[in-house]
C-alpha cells in the first residue's frame, strides 16, 4: 500500500540520520574508521580497524554496543514509522557506541 508523502518522509529521515550520524562520527574522530554510505532510504555503515582494514570484529563491537543501547542496527534503513524521536534515540545510541569503538581502536576489541 502506498501512503502519499511517505517516500519524502523516509528520505527526510534518512538524510537526517546520515548527516547527523556523520557529525557524531567526526566528533569522535572516527571519520577514517566508520562511514555511513548509501541512499537516504537505505543506508549502511562500514567499520574499519586501526590499520583501516574492514573489520568484522569492530562491526560486531559496534552492533553489540548499539544493542546495549536498545537499537538493533545491522543497517540504517528507515521506514515511514520512524519518528524524529526514533532518529534522536538512534543518534544518541550511535554516539555512545562510538565512544566504545574509539577506545577499542586504542585498547583492542
Amino acid at each position: 500500500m502506498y501512503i502519499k508523502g511517505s517516500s519524502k518522509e523516509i528520505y527526510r529521515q534518512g538524510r537526517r540520520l546520515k548527516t547527523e550520524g556523520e557529525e557524531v562520527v567526526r566528533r569522535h574522530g572516527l571519520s577514517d574508521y566508520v562511514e555511513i554510505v548509501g541512499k537516504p532510504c537505505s543506508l549502511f555503515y562500514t567499520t574499519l580497524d586501526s590499520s583501516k582494514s574492514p573489520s568484522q570484529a569492530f562491526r560486531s563491537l559496534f552492533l553489540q554496543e548499539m544493542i546495549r543501547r536498545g537499537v538493533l542496527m545491522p543497517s540504517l534503513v528507515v521506514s515511514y514509522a520512524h519518528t524524529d524521536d526514533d532518529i534522536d534515540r538512534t543518534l544518541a545510541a550511535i554516539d555512545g557506541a562510538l565512544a566504545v569503538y574509539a577506545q577499542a581502536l586504542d585498547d583492542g576489541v
Side-chain angles (χ1 to χ4, degrees):
M1 178 169 112
Y2 177 76
I3 301 170
K4 187 175 181 179
S6 62
S7 62
K8 287 183 181 181
E9 181 64 10
I10 290 168
Y11 272 77
R12 181 185 75 80
Q13 293 289 33
R15 279 190 298 273
R16 180 173 171 230
L17 187 56
K18 182 173 180 13
T19 301
E20 293 182 32
E22 288 171 336
E23 178 56 32
V24 173
V25 171
R26 276 191 294 279
R27 272 198 325 263
H28 283 279
L30 294 173
S31 296
D32 290 338
Y33 305 97
V34 177
E35 184 179 14
I36 300 172
V37 294
K39 296 181 179 187
C41 63
S42 183
L43 298 167
F44 59 98
Y45 54 90
T46 61
T47 54
L48 305 178
D49 62 19
S50 58
S51 67
K52 299 183 183 168
S53 298
S55 173
Q56 191 61 42
F58 273 89
R59 181 174 178 79
S60 296
L61 174 68
F62 185 69
L63 282 167
Q64 167 190 299
E65 292 302 318
M66 290 300 293
I67 291 167
R68 185 174 306 208
R69 289 160 177 79
V71 178
L72 180 60
M73 196 177 85
S75 63
L76 293 160
V77 178
V78 263
S79 76
Y80 186 68
H82 288 113
T83 65
D84 286 334
D85 189 49
D86 294 324
I87 301 300
D88 290 342
R89 284 193 312 256
T90 301
L91 290 165
I94 290 170
D95 187 41
L98 289 179
V100 175
Y101 194 106
Q103 183 177 357
L105 283 172
D106 292 334
D107 300 339
V109 178

